[in-house]
């Protein structure tokens, strides 16, 4: 692992030196070949169940440590890469913790074609938010495999108010237990039953105080069998107040799409003096008894469609964020405190939220534009000569 990380670090430094050369050759801000950012979040957590603290899940934690690289190779080609480092113990972990790594081609201002590891285009504002900016969330959000290999094509209107994206990608269920044979091969390795795919239609529209993140998703959970999502992500902005309401309806049959399996996520935010944001948030997950699942010989849930049949879970809470640099429109440093309480039944023994459970987090997030920082340092050194 140390050798792998060393190679990655050396490659990043080499790219940084190359980017400096290109910058000296006249790359403008709108055509940067390389931008590098680092972001991290540290929390103190206190998780409890029925009033008893869960010590393994509590204490000081490095929740996120991310590296992000973006750039414009030419006016028509751009790339983006985001990598998480806080849970890497092997080369396999490194690959799994690559959130995305894709190349995008824009033949015109209206069209964009992208391929690589991407975010699965599912609607909703909770789903859209970067994990580093989420404190507690729905049980669905905690389980969905949202980064997959695929390709997409997007069309943006001339005004830029609406973008429609069609994506074909590996199904979020592709590597789940129900896509593997019950018995391993003679060497003891799991036997995959087939390649599963997802087909996603996504609309992002911004019109005045209203912004939509809507999607229609068809994800294979078995060959030729699809889990269908209809997701309506709605945001209303009134001055310093923001309301987000997500409605996600799921089903493997027309009957189940009649609100038998669904999630609702809602959040209200209010920004005070550009530095303090207070919010309240609630989520609700409900799963009917007929939703597919996989149970092992011990009776434990080991796979299925992210939520186990019979689950009905509500999470309610709120919190506060403080941006010490917010007066200058800067969100690169953030302090937060948030609390939520769980009510209901989660039939997944390996789930994240359980009845009478509570979650408290207090922490710090910071983000750095590494290239900008190095440029400023070089300028200071040169000015002293």
């Amino acid at each position: 692992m140390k050798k792998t990380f060393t190679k990655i670090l050396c490659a990043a430094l080499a790219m940084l030196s190359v980017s400096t050369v290109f910058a000296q050759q006249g790359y403008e801000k709108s055509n940067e070949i390389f931008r590098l950012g680092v972001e991290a979040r540290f929390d103190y957590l206190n998780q409890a169940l029925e009033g008893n603290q869960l010590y393994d899940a509590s204490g000081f934690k490095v929740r996120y440590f991310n590296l992000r690289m973006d750039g414009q190779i030419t006016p028509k080609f751009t790339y983006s890469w985001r990598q998480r480092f806080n849970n890497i113990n092997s080369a396999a972990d490194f690959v799994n913790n690559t959130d995305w790594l894709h190349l995008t081609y824009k033949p015109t201002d209206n069209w964009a074609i992208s391929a690589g590891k991407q975010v699965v285009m599912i609607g909703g504002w909770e789903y859209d938010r970067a994990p580093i900016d989420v404190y507690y969330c729905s049980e669905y959000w905690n389980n969905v495999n949202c980064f997959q290999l695929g390709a997409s094509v997007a069309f943006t209107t001339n005004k830029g108010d609406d973008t429609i994206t069609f994506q074909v990608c590996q199904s979020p269920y592709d590597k789940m237990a129900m896509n593997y044979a019950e018995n391993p091969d003679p060497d003891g390795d799991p036997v995959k039953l087939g390649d599963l795919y997802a087909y996603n239609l996504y609309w992002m529209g911004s019109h005045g105080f209203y912004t939509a993140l809507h999607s229609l998703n068809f994800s294979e959970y078995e060959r030729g069998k699809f889990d269908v999502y209809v997701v309506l992500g709605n945001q209303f902005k009134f001055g310093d107040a923001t309301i987000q309401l997500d409605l996600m309806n799921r089903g493997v049959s027309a009957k189940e799409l009649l609100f038998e399996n669904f999630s609702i996520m809602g959040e209200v935010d209010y920004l005070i003096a550009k530095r303090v944001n207070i919010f309240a948030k609630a989520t609700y997950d409900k799963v009917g008894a007929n939703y597919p699942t996989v149970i092992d010989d011990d009776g434990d849930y080991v796979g299925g469609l992210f939520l186990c049949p019979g689950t009905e879970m509500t999470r309610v809470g709120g919190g506060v964020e403080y941006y010490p640099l917010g007066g200058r429109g800067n969100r690169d440093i953030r302090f937060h405190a948030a609390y939520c309480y769980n009510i209901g039944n989660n039939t997944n023994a390996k789930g994240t939220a359980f009845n009478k459970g509570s979650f408290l987090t207090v922490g710090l997030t910071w983000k750095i534009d590494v290239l900008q920082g190095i440029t400023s340092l070089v300028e200071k050194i040169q000015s002293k000569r």
Side-chain angles (χ1 to χ4, degrees):
M1 175 55 203
K2 289 183 178 179
K3 291 182 179 179
T4 301
F5 183 80
T6 301
K7 290 179 181 178
I8 295 165
L9 182 60
C10 290
L13 291 174
M15 291 182 68
L16 182 59
S17 64
V18 171
S19 69
T20 304
V21 172
F22 276 112
Q24 292 170 351
Q25 293 177 350
Y27 267 79
E28 303 297 332
K29 185 71 175 178
S30 61
N31 194 27
E32 289 181 331
I33 195 170
F34 179 73
R35 295 189 299 275
L36 177 65
V38 176
E39 55 186 24
R41 180 174 138 196
F42 305 90
D43 292 45
Y44 169 75
L45 303 178
N46 188 318
Q47 296 195 57
L49 186 61
E50 297 184 350
N52 299 312
Q53 186 175 1
L54 304 176
Y55 293 103
D56 288 343
S58 301
F60 290 100
K61 307 285 185 180
V62 179
R63 295 300 302 277
Y64 298 97
F65 175 42
N66 303 334
L67 173 71
R68 177 163 179 172
M69 293 168 52
D70 303 90
Q72 189 172 29
I73 302 171
T74 71
K76 294 184 182 296
F77 283 94
T78 60
Y79 68 90
S80 184
W81 172 35
R82 190 175 77 186
Q83 184 73 41
R84 283 173 289 156
F85 285 96
N86 50 302
N87 291 318
I88 294 178
N89 297 307
S90 66
D93 286 341
F94 182 85
V95 174
N96 292 332
N97 284 307
T98 301
D99 288 343
W100 64 70
L101 178 60
H102 54 77
L103 182 71
T104 300
Y105 171 61
K106 292 194 67 175
T108 70
D109 291 338
N110 300 102
W111 291 94
I113 303 169
S114 182
K117 192 170 187 181
Q118 303 180 327
V119 180
V120 180
M121 302 299 287
I122 299 173
W125 287 91
E126 181 189 61
Y127 178 88
D128 180 72
R129 191 172 297 180
I132 199 170
D133 297 325
V134 178
Y135 306 117
Y136 65 91
C137 47
S138 63
E139 185 68 3
Y140 173 84
W141 188 98
N142 271 313
N143 289 280
V144 61
N145 298 325
C146 57
F147 304 110
Q148 302 291 339
L149 292 170
S152 61
V153 56
F155 175 78
T156 302
T157 59
N158 291 331
K159 290 184 178 181
D161 295 336
D162 298 278
T163 298
I164 297 176
T165 303
F166 177 70
Q167 179 189 55
V168 178
C169 66
Q170 203 170 42
S171 171
Y173 305 122
D174 184 75
K175 291 183 172 60
M176 298 190 70
M178 61 198 317
N179 194 32
Y180 287 83
E182 293 184 9
N183 300 316
D185 64 16
D187 296 328
D189 297 323
V191 178
K192 191 175 181 181
L193 299 178
D195 293 324
L196 304 181
Y197 296 96
Y199 307 90
N200 309 307
L201 184 63
Y202 186 92
W203 169 52
M204 178 179 66
S206 182
H207 300 275
F209 64 87
Y210 175 70
T211 304
L213 299 179
H214 295 180
S215 73
L216 177 62
N217 309 92
F218 295 82
S219 300
E220 280 187 304
Y221 64 94
E222 293 181 14
R223 292 297 299 274
K225 295 183 179 180
F226 291 87
D227 188 16
V228 181
Y229 296 175
V230 178
V231 188
L232 305 177
N234 308 282
Q235 176 176 275
F236 307 88
K237 196 166 183 63
F238 307 98
D240 293 326
T242 303
I243 301 172
Q244 295 178 345
L245 179 63
D246 299 334
L247 306 173
M248 174 183 285
N249 197 19
R250 302 174 293 267
V252 297
S253 67
K255 177 183 177 182
E256 288 174 331
L257 276 171
L258 298 175
F259 299 99
E260 186 173 343
N261 304 301
F262 63 94
S263 296
I264 302 174
M265 308 84 160
E267 182 171 333
V268 179
D269 294 70
Y270 189 80
L271 185 64
I272 303 172
K274 298 181 180 180
R275 295 179 184 270
V276 179
N277 182 59
I278 56 176
F279 67 90
K281 179 179 178 180
T283 70
Y284 176 75
D285 296 289
K286 183 180 185 300
V287 188
N290 295 322
Y291 212 47
T293 188
V294 176
I295 305 297
D296 65 14
D297 294 336
D298 297 326
D300 294 328
Y301 169 83
V302 294
L305 306 188
F306 305 135
L307 292 165
C308 205
T311 294
E312 187 171 3
M313 177 59 61
T314 301
R315 308 191 82 184
V316 293
V320 59
E321 299 171 323
Y322 173 61
Y323 298 93
L325 305 179
R328 293 181 286 170
N330 191 317
R331 297 293 183 90
D332 290 343
I333 298 177
R334 179 184 67 208
F335 296 92
H336 72 263
Y339 175 84
C340 77
Y341 188 77
N342 310 327
I343 305 168
N345 180 42
N346 188 353
T347 57
N348 180 1
K350 299 179 181 179
T352 59
F354 296 96
N355 188 42
K356 298 181 181 179
S358 62
F359 177 86
L360 170 68
T361 173
V362 179
L364 166 67
T365 303
W366 52 267
K367 302 177 182 180
I368 295 176
D369 186 328
V370 176
L371 191 57
Q372 182 180 4
I374 292 176
T375 302
S376 299
L377 179 61
V378 171
E379 291 175 351
K380 288 182 180 180
I381 294 175
Q382 291 177 341
S383 65
K384 293 180 181 180
R385 291 180 178 177

